[in-house]
Amino acid sequence: MASLRRVKVLLVLNLIAVAGFVLFLAKCRPITAKNGDSFHDIHPRAEVANLTARGIGSIQDAVLKRLSLLEDIVYRQLNGLSKSLGLIEGYGGRGKGGLPATLSPEEEEKAKGPHEKYGYNSYLSEKISLDRSIPDYRPTKCKELKYGKDLPQISIIFIFVNEALSVILRSVHSAVNHTPAHLLKEIILVDDNSDEEELKAPLEEYVNKRYPGLVKVVRNQKREGLIRARIEGWKAATGQITGFFDAHVEFTAGWAEPVLSRIQENRRRVILPSIDNIKQDNFEVQRYENSAHGYSWELWCMYISPPKDWWDAGDPSLPIR
């Protein structure tokens, strides 16, 4: 924590120094213009314009280089948080691009126990970056749609009980990485009375340091079940819209805008994004064809083929009722 504070202080001091240097050049450099036989003082705004014309670009390059260096220092410091948990950050590594991730024969043996415990390959999950890239399977027309800047903010709520830490944190990282900052009000993690130690102090310390003020943790004192746990997350939410998700998901770019736009048009709508699949054995992202979600009379969740009028419209960007 102390080292993180030192980095933050260093960043602030460097920003102050750079700003002071630029202001010094702008205000104190004796720039004059010669018109005929006399010199005239230049207005500060004109002076800045003149400085820009003469080479402020090189100064900006130096400033940007310094800021990039400081950003890299801060990132390395934050990246150390995940390393202390035995996890990885960055966009490369195993499973990059949503491709199947693999283990060595020796690692396969170590993975058997955790796989049976969680129902997915949690050992392999720890070898996959929290920030890994995944494919964008949206139809081309969806990528071309434009949305207003005044969309409402969303509170993303994850419910979990004894989920693997790496999977929860990948969900959080993915939400932050692929939700525009001005639309993401907060992320709320609702722990429905887990008994795994790594989901207590280690989880809370990580999100508080990595995403200070953005991620909240709500802990139920007894097992409440999925729906009551969701209600506890809703009570803690402050965003205009709440989105409820399992804590084992990954988001793609552009997921939030169409959802928020549809609700902005009609606040009574309940929206479900198109959901692809993450395979439990190798974390490959598998595309699902266009479909709606619904329930059978036995209340089993099922995928429903879009109605004929949706297909006849010939526009895959249209919502499915």
Side-chain angles (χ1 to χ4, degrees):
M1 191 67 183
S3 60
L4 183 58
R5 272 198 223 98
R6 286 197 295 272
V7 171
K8 289 181 178 178
V9 170
L10 175 64
L11 178 60
V12 171
L13 290 176
N14 273 271
L15 287 173
I16 292 173
V18 170
F21 176 67
V22 173
L23 287 173
F24 174 80
L25 287 177
K27 290 181 176 294
C28 302
R29 184 177 175 183
I31 302 178
T32 56
K34 185 174 182 180
N35 288 335
D37 298 328
S38 61
F39 288 87
H40 302 278
D41 291 335
I42 295 181
H43 190 278
R45 292 192 181 209
E47 182 178 335
V48 173
N50 192 25
L51 181 60
T52 301
R54 287 169 174 261
I56 192 71
S58 60
I59 298 175
Q60 289 175 335
D61 289 342
V63 171
L64 291 174
K65 185 176 181 180
R66 173 62 64 86
L67 290 176
S68 177
L69 175 63
L70 294 173
E71 183 181 35
D72 187 54
I73 293 172
V74 172
Y75 178 78
R76 287 202 303 271
Q77 181 69 30
L78 293 175
N79 194 26
L81 297 175
S82 62
K83 288 182 179 178
S84 66
L85 298 174
L87 304 177
I88 306 164
E89 292 189 42
Y91 293 97
R94 304 187 206 187
K96 176 183 177 181
L99 295 175
T102 58
L103 294 171
S104 67
E106 295 79 14
E107 291 174 324
E108 288 284 1
E109 285 299 314
K110 298 177 182 178
K112 288 181 179 178
H115 196 302
E116 294 173 1
K117 177 179 179 180
Y118 292 106
Y120 51 76
N121 198 336
S122 61
Y123 183 88
L124 175 59
S125 175
E126 295 174 0
K127 311 300 178 185
I128 298 173
S129 173
L130 301 178
D131 301 299
R132 74 151 175 175
S133 59
I134 60 174
D136 185 349
Y137 286 138
R138 290 177 298 165
T140 301
K141 191 164 184 178
C142 290
K143 300 176 185 179
E144 296 171 350
L145 294 175
K146 305 297 181 183
Y147 299 93
K149 299 290 186 182
D150 61 339
L151 293 174
Q153 290 185 311
I154 186 171
S155 295
I156 293 178
I157 301 171
F158 291 120
I159 314 297
F160 67 90
V161 55
N162 293 332
E163 192 93 56
L165 179 60
S166 62
V167 170
I168 295 174
L169 293 183
R170 189 173 300 109
S171 301
V172 172
H173 275 247
S174 178
V176 174
N177 292 342
H178 296 112
T179 308
H182 69 286
L183 299 180
L184 181 58
K185 178 67 175 180
E186 64 207 345
I187 295 174
I188 299 174
L189 302 177
V190 182
D191 174 14
D192 196 21
N193 200 232
S194 299
D195 46 37
E196 294 286 341
E197 286 302 317
E198 68 176 6
L199 300 182
K200 300 184 186 301
L203 168 64
E204 204 147 341
E205 290 174 5
Y206 178 87
V207 296
N208 287 341
K209 292 177 181 178
R210 188 66 176 83
Y211 300 113
L214 180 64
V215 180
K216 304 174 184 178
V217 180
V218 174
R219 298 193 185 275
N220 292 338
Q221 297 307 305
K222 63 177 183 176
R223 190 71 51 81
E224 297 288 356
L226 179 61
I227 301 305
R228 284 195 292 270
R230 284 176 171 171
I231 292 173
E232 291 304 311
W234 173 77
K235 289 178 181 177
T238 61
Q240 296 164 280
I241 292 175
T242 49
F244 299 92
F245 298 89
D246 293 330
H248 43 256
V249 300
E250 294 178 58
F251 296 84
T252 55
W255 79 270
E257 292 89 334
V259 170
L260 301 179
S261 176
R262 294 278 295 160
I263 298 176
Q264 186 182 50
E265 292 171 2
N266 183 348
R267 62 183 295 273
R268 296 186 178 187
R269 287 174 175 157
V270 177
I271 306 297
L272 185 67
S274 177
I275 299 176
D276 295 312
N277 183 45
I278 302 173
K279 292 186 178 181
Q280 62 184 20
D281 295 324
N282 56 22
F283 288 82
E284 177 186 4
V285 178
Q286 178 185 30
R287 180 179 183 177
Y288 277 1
E289 294 303 319
N290 293 324
S291 61
H293 282 75
Y295 295 89
S296 67
W297 286 108
E298 293 82 19
L299 296 184
W300 288 103
C301 180
M302 57 188 293
Y303 291 93
I304 302 171
S305 179
K308 183 177 182 301
D309 59 354
W310 187 87
W311 288 109
D312 290 343
D315 183 356
S317 70
L318 292 177
I320 302 169
R321 185 176 176 84

